Amino acid sequence: MNKQNIDNILKVLKKTYPEATCALNFGSPYELLVSTMLSAQCTDVRVNKVTSELYKQYNTPEKMISLTEEELGGKIKSCGFFRNKSKNILSTSRELVEKYGGEVPHTMEQLIELPGVGRKTADVVLSNAFGVPAIAVDTHVFRVSNRLGIAKGTTPHKVEMELMKNIPKSMWSDSHHYLIWHGRRICKSRKPDCEHCPLAPYCEYFNHPEEIKS
């Protein structure tokens, strides 16, 4: 896709979703880190419901590690994969206490070394908690980017690299939110609402369906 079309897409997204922001509720980098870990294969609405209770007592790594895996698992069970998530959250919390004085590190290299923390989670934390330009590629960003044609890739990492190349760095974080909101509201997985999509004039999925859907 040429630069002009990418610029047009970004302008339309900004105009369409001026209020786009992180859907996870958090009051600190640590809360955002835990919430993002919980959000794997779970809705943000469900995570927010669970953490609204969890963070009343366990909103720091020091407090979190007072729980056993079974106790934490019981509190986050409705988020799915609770055994693995509770194990990773507690392991990460211990590491934060032991290596970082209870603080969440703010570099990609340090974050992805934490148990259960991949690039997507690290990008979310860097962007929303520390204001570091980043593009977290979740299922919405992956799908919408490929359909539009602004980033082609068979893996989230490849799409992330393409988006970083094609989008100005100053817009990385905002674009991440724009693409998520567009994926949730219009460019849905099973039935995209192309008829009412403001990006249709620039979209490869809409204009060349025989190539995208084959």
Side-chain angles (χ1 to χ4, degrees):
M1 178 174 287
N2 62 52
K3 184 179 183 302
Q4 186 58 58
N5 277 353
I6 292 175
D7 288 344
N8 289 335
I9 285 172
L10 294 175
K11 288 176 182 177
V12 172
L13 286 171
K14 183 177 181 179
K15 182 178 180 180
T16 306
Y17 308 109
E19 74 280 26
T21 188
C22 181
L24 293 170
N25 297 331
F26 65 96
S28 69
Y30 177 71
E31 289 185 4
L32 179 58
L33 175 60
V34 172
S35 290
T36 308
M37 294 173 75
L38 289 173
S39 71
Q41 298 185 38
C42 180
T43 66
D44 292 342
V45 172
R46 169 58 58 183
V47 172
N48 288 337
K49 185 175 182 179
V50 168
T51 57
S52 66
E53 291 300 316
L54 180 67
Y55 294 157
K56 287 179 181 178
Q57 286 185 273
Y58 307 100
N59 62 341
T60 68
E62 292 85 356
K63 293 176 181 177
M64 191 70 76
I65 60 177
S66 69
L67 295 169
T68 64
E69 286 186 23
E70 292 72 23
E71 288 171 337
L72 177 56
K75 296 179 184 298
I76 64 172
K77 191 171 185 178
S78 63
C79 289
F81 302 96
F82 65 94
R83 291 186 180 86
N84 192 50
K85 289 179 180 179
S86 62
K87 179 181 178 180
N88 284 332
I89 288 170
L90 290 175
S91 295
T92 280
S93 297
R94 291 189 192 96
E95 196 158 319
L96 291 177
V97 172
E98 293 168 5
K99 291 182 63 176
Y100 300 104
E103 299 296 323
V104 177
H106 50 270
T107 70
M108 173 65 73
E109 293 73 22
Q110 291 171 316
L111 284 167
I112 60 176
E113 287 182 353
L114 296 170
V117 177
R119 286 192 65 89
K120 189 197 82 169
T121 296
D123 278 329
V124 170
V125 173
L126 288 172
S127 175
N128 295 285
F130 298 117
V132 176
I135 303 177
V137 179
D138 67 354
T139 55
H140 298 295
V141 176
F142 183 83
R143 178 179 69 255
V144 175
S145 298
N146 272 290
R147 281 180 177 172
L148 286 172
I150 61 174
K152 298 293 187 68
T154 54
T155 67
H157 183 63
K158 289 180 179 178
V159 169
E160 181 186 349
M161 295 300 105
E162 281 291 301
L163 287 172
M164 290 168 69
K165 183 174 69 174
N166 292 334
I167 295 175
K169 190 172 183 177
S170 61
M171 291 194 67
W172 285 358
S173 296
D174 287 339
S175 297
H176 156 73
H177 295 307
Y178 296 153
L179 292 168
I180 289 177
W181 281 45
H182 191 66
R184 286 175 174 163
R185 299 189 177 191
I186 294 179
C187 195
K188 299 177 182 179
S189 177
R190 295 186 179 180
K191 194 175 181 181
D193 189 9
C194 298
E195 182 180 349
H196 299 100
C197 180
L199 299 178
Y202 317 106
C203 179
E204 292 187 6
Y205 180 90
F206 179 76
N207 293 294
H208 304 288
E210 69 287 349
E211 297 177 17
I212 303 297
K213 300 173 186 178
S214 61

